[in-house]
Amino acid sequence: GQAPRDRSQPPHTAVTALLSGCLSSCQNYRDQMANLTCSATSAPLSSARANAPSPVVPTRVACRSLCSRLRVKCSAEDNNASSAAGNRRLYSMTVEGTETKKRVYGVQKADYLPTDSESLANSIGYHAEHSSAVLPNVGVTALQAYKATAASVRERVLERWNETNAHFAQNNVKQVAYISMEFLQGRALLNAVNNLGLRNEYTEALQVLGYELETVAQEEQDAALGNGGLGRLASCFLDSLATLDYPGWGYGLRYKYGLFRQKITDGTQYEEAENWLDVGNPWEVERLDTSYTVKMYGRMVEDEDGEEEWVDAQEVVAVAFDTPIPGYKTNNCINLRLWDARPAAPTAFDLAAFNAGDYGRAYSNKQAVEDICAVLYPGDGTPQGKELRLKQQYLLCSATLQDLVARFKERTARAGEQLDWEKLPEKVVVQLNDTHPTLGIPELMRILVDEEGLDWDRAWAICTKVVAYTNHTVMPEALEKWPYEILARLLPRHMSIIHRIDEEFVEYVTALAKEAEDELDTLTKEIEEEPEAAAPSPAVAEAPTLPKDTRAELEELLKETEEELETIPKETPEELKQRINAMRIIESNEHGHPVRVHMANMCVIAGFAVNGVAAIHSEIVKDEVFNEFYQLWPEKFQNKTNGVTPRRWLSFCNQPLSALLTETLGSDKWITETSELSKLAGYANDPAFQEKWRAAKRANKEKLVKYIKDRTDIDIPVNAMFDIQVKRIHEYKRQLLNILGVVLRYKRMKEMTKAERLAAYVPRVVMFGGKAYATYVQAKRIVKFINKVGEVINNDPEIGDLLKVVFVPDYNVSVAENLIPASELSQHISTAGTEASGTSNMKFSMNGCVIIGTLDGANVEIREEVGEDNFFLFGKEAHEITPLREQRAAGLFEPSEEFVEVCEWVKEGTFGVEFAELIGSLEGNEGFGRADWYCVGADFPSYMEAQERVDAAYRDTELWTKMSIMNTAGSGKFSSDRTIEQYANEIWDLQKCPVPQHHQS
């Protein structure tokens, strides 16, 4: 009898909105609905459903409530209760009139929770009421629907997770601990649903409740635990470990605010805290029972026995937060353990200071501790920033190593065995993902020596069998070198351990050099004392049975040996000192005072294996970055070309193409056996298949058009080429080369008539995405330059849809999942010899995107796999870069006319007056921030010529489609499954440990 506020709508509209959200399985509701009329209009309510707005809260709660008001039994509950019968944790409810709600719980026996769509709908409804605390008769928001769905999925993941951990423990298998400062996971809901094989079931369950799975999934915040390829790779590796049934855990930090949320205002990047935890994280499990004390600061003193002791240290508590990582089509579900920093209980809160009114001091210690895990990569331009970064790294390493040791001891005790530390390498292998976790090496030594009482030599022998190191960079600034003073103050015990490692390494190399010198002297002396060294020995001369050819070979061998000895340079003491200094962990100044600690050198010295992440990168590691070490220990060095998970990065994010692949290849086997993709090459010239391929790409492009409009308010034409470069903003990745190419393209267009423009260029949308580090001034200039160029071009009516420039803000995994499937050309154009591998190039190629790039990182192998004709190559090669820089320094470099032209046009203020310093970095012959260190000018002519080839190929639709198909066909090698198999077999020595299949209720 109470009319709604909006009198333009029928008064029964709001009621109908709720009714339309009831479960379709409630037959009693449908029967009653057919007989109801609105008292205001006398119209049947059922006839109004078509005109009713979308339900705000289509939930089981609304269904029960309305059925209760109508005095009918809610048959939807009966249906779900009967379908979920069994000894599982059931939630069932009978509502009739105002009868009290009844909850019935059972105990899990042997079967997994039911996964049919009705049971899932019941589960979501239960969590909407009990986990999200939705009030009766009140609508469920999309966020609450997400949380309820996540809780339902989480239950089904956790039972696999618990069983996997129990299975690993029962079999006492060797496990890998993958330690990384970054794990760029992306959204978890769709990934978990797909890996469990329940996408269709959850889609149906949510549709019954009035929601679409994809819509609900959009409510999830990307976990802000990483920034770029390092973290994305780590996450791909966890997915592959779980999918391939290998035992392993990831270890990282639980950052409260991530790196930052990128905002673009007037073209300028601004950073805001990424409050991803503000709405909660339904996937994590806080382990208050799993925490470790981490000590920092203090001083070293000698005890009564003359042994060093660490005293007066400050204590921090590292608390574990676990996130389950389900594998694809397997019961195995491994763990990502993230550490959070908490103050030790007595120091958490100063009550006396608080009562005295000094509230800042009362919380000061708590705040200082919580700062450790506040953000990823805090600014290190100050001593305080450097110290905070080291605290982060040490917290990660100390908590992780303590956890690994505790779990080793626990499993040994459970097996009823006596503790044998020599067996630690048989049960645990630690993979350091770049140099950030290097402090795990002295920390493991500290635990073994100080806590467990092992002598130094025994502990070192164990340590060097446990730790392996992955190098991810050839950039000098990324090979971490920490100030000695800061590290010594923060971790005095570890500094003494590092000193001993360094000193013993120097002794080892010096002894080897002396031994080699003695052997050389002995051999030389033997030859010199032989009067006829080049002639055969008497024994040889007098041996009548030796064939003539054998005599000749022996004579030649003796002669070659003598000649070779003459060419071996004898290392002078000064040369030996220089070689040792290049490998030392502790770097000293000219006065002999320690100034820096080289983390990468410590990794190579302690690690039993050192690997690069692409074929060309691994060669650079051996030939340049660690050449002295390679000469010493060639057996340590390996290559493990990176890979990406084909689940998230093709099957799940690219549904149109995924469906076509499964249809064409006859099954979805390709999702785990990506070598199957090579069969696509047989369809590359098939007109019917090409048409389907283009339709799949078109569907993704149409989706991206809407996405770009929503995020940037820029309209982009779907018929244009989608040209995308998304990665961390850095000078060596050369977004500047890309945008200068766009500027020249625009300038040429402006010089033409409309007819000439249409004949010369294909329509193109150039998209950028990526974050510039907050204190990296030049990178932020590049971001602004891209945005200002876009403003001018996008608002030029003469150009229209022929050229658009879009900067997609706040690039992350979810943004990538929208961009990559729609991409047609992707730019991977780093200066040759600077990119270790790259993984986005693999994702683009896997999704049928053609690459324009240099022979750098994994580009080299991608080009080999997809075929040279299906890759647009340009630019200098790695061996040409150093001579090119030397030529520049000598003032001999002559830039092309086009390059000078485009730089001058920018300096004239075409896109604003603030880019003089940016362009200035490309000018001059030497000096910081000058002289075009990354060779943009040198590669510009080759780059523009390659872009002309791109336009010509894109005009030929059949040719371009073939190139696109061949990229997917050749991408099978770049699955992270292949990479993990290589790590497991060639470094970690892991055995698969699949969890047995169980009955599904």
Side-chain angles (χ1 to χ4, degrees), residues 103-298:
R103 296 171 177 80
V104 182
Y105 293 87
V107 179
Q108 177 179 344
K109 296 298 183 185
D111 300 337
Y112 283 151
L113 288 167
T115 56
D116 59 281
S117 58
E118 288 188 36
S119 297
L120 296 179
N122 182 46
S123 172
I124 296 170
Y126 168 82
H127 285 292
E129 183 172 358
H130 292 79
S131 299
S132 297
V134 176
L135 298 174
N137 307 323
V138 176
V140 174
T141 65
L143 177 60
Q144 290 170 326
Y146 157 70
K147 288 186 173 181
T149 306
S152 172
V153 176
R154 181 178 184 262
E155 286 182 329
R156 286 149 180 82
V157 170
L158 287 183
E159 56 188 0
R160 289 163 173 78
W161 184 44
N162 289 329
E163 194 165 12
T164 300
N165 289 330
H167 186 65
F168 288 170
Q170 181 181 357
N171 288 275
N172 198 16
V173 293
K174 184 177 184 179
Q175 299 187 42
V176 62
Y178 196 84
I179 310 180
S180 177
M181 286 295 286
E182 297 185 41
F183 286 93
L184 200 55
Q185 290 289 99
R187 290 170 173 158
L189 177 60
L190 287 181
N191 193 69
V193 165
N194 281 300
N195 273 0
L196 294 176
L198 298 177
R199 187 181 187 114
N200 292 337
E201 288 80 359
Y202 270 102
T203 297
E204 292 173 10
L206 281 164
Q207 285 174 343
V208 163
L209 300 173
Y211 275 105
E212 293 296 328
L213 176 60
E214 286 73 15
T215 303
V216 169
Q218 296 300 314
E219 293 297 317
E220 182 176 1
Q221 297 283 322
D222 274 43
L225 301 172
N227 177 38
L230 187 77
R232 190 53 243 158
L233 178 76
S235 295
C236 286
F237 280 3
L238 294 188
D239 179 85
S240 288
L241 279 167
T243 298
L244 296 172
D245 299 330
Y246 281 116
W249 280 18
Y251 282 93
L253 292 180
R254 182 179 180 264
Y255 305 106
K256 295 178 182 64
Y257 303 110
L259 185 71
F260 58 80
R261 179 171 284 116
Q262 183 188 53
K263 294 288 186 181
I264 304 296
T265 303
D266 192 28
T268 300
Q269 170 185 296
Y270 293 94
E271 301 82 32
E272 297 179 353
E274 194 166 5
N275 304 305
W276 72 286
L277 288 170
D278 280 3
V279 296
N281 178 11
W283 304 103
E284 66 182 9
V285 177
E286 184 177 11
R287 300 286 195 190
L288 292 176
D289 58 336
T290 303
S291 62
Y292 298 96
T293 299
V294 178
K295 298 197 297 184
M296 301 178 189
Y297 301 108

Side-chain angles (χ1 to χ4, degrees), residues 19 91 211 224 263 299 380 427 490 545 556 610 786 819 881 918 952 954:
L19 291 175
Y91 170 70
Y211 275 105
K263 294 288 186 181
R299 57 195 176 90
D380 60 353
K427 299 300 179 182
L490 179 67
T545 58
E556 184 64 25
V610 178
I786 292 168
L819 293 175
I881 299 302
L918 178 63
Y954 195 77

Side-chain angles (χ1 to χ4, degrees), residues 521-595:
D521 288 343
T522 300
L523 187 56
T524 303
K525 184 177 180 181
E526 289 176 354
I527 291 178
E528 289 175 348
E529 289 177 352
E530 177 61 53
E532 297 181 4
S537 68
V540 173
E542 294 172 6
T545 58
L546 282 177
K548 185 176 180 181
D549 290 346
T550 304
R551 289 172 179 271
E553 288 178 6
L554 289 173
E555 291 174 6
E556 184 64 25
L557 181 61
L558 286 169
K559 184 178 180 181
E560 289 177 358
T561 302
E562 184 178 22
E563 291 174 351
E564 186 175 344
L565 286 172
E566 291 175 354
T567 61
I568 297 176
K570 286 194 174 183
E571 195 172 35
T572 66
E574 183 59 32
E575 289 170 338
L576 175 61
K577 182 180 178 181
Q578 290 177 0
R579 181 164 66 91
I580 290 175
N581 285 342
M583 295 187 286
R584 290 195 68 162
I585 301 171
I586 299 174
E587 176 190 347
S588 299
N589 60 21
E590 63 274 16
H591 304 296
H593 301 308
V595 291

Side-chain angles (χ1 to χ4, degrees), residues 367-501:
Q367 185 62 54
V369 171
E370 291 180 351
D371 284 346
I372 296 174
C373 292
V375 299
L376 169 66
Y377 301 141
D380 60 353
T382 64
Q384 295 87 345
K386 289 181 173 64
E387 191 164 304
L388 183 55
R389 281 212 189 185
L390 276 170
K391 284 182 180 180
Q392 285 188 335
Q393 294 184 5
Y394 179 58
L395 182 87
L396 168 61
C397 294
S398 179
T400 298
L401 268 299
Q402 289 186 68
D403 192 47
L404 293 175
V405 167
R407 289 171 59 208
F408 170 71
K409 294 165 71 174
E410 178 186 320
R411 286 191 297 164
T412 301
R414 188 186 297 114
E417 300 174 359
Q418 185 156 354
L419 188 61
D420 181 356
W421 287 105
E422 270 66 27
K423 288 186 177 179
L424 181 65
E426 298 175 17
K427 299 300 179 182
V428 176
V429 58
V430 173
Q431 189 68 40
L432 307 180
N433 192 29
D434 218 352
T435 54
H436 308 121
T438 304
L439 288 170
I441 295 165
E443 175 64 4
L444 179 56
M445 290 296 294
R446 184 196 67 80
I447 293 171
L448 294 177
V449 174
D450 295 359
E451 304 293 336
E452 303 298 338
L454 277 67
D455 65 64
W456 176 272
D457 291 341
R458 186 181 174 201
W460 181 246
I462 293 169
C463 181
T464 54
K465 293 175 184 175
V466 168
V467 176
Y469 161 57
T470 298
N471 173 269
H472 281 281
T473 183
V474 299
M475 306 292 288
E477 66 269 23
L479 292 171
E480 293 181 300
K481 305 177 185 68
W482 290 108
Y484 177 91
E485 182 182 353
I486 293 177
L487 186 52
R489 181 174 66 253
L490 179 67
L491 299 171
R493 173 59 179 137
H494 296 73
M495 201 65 252
S496 68
I497 291 172
I498 293 170
H499 265 290
R500 183 163 178 179
I501 295 173

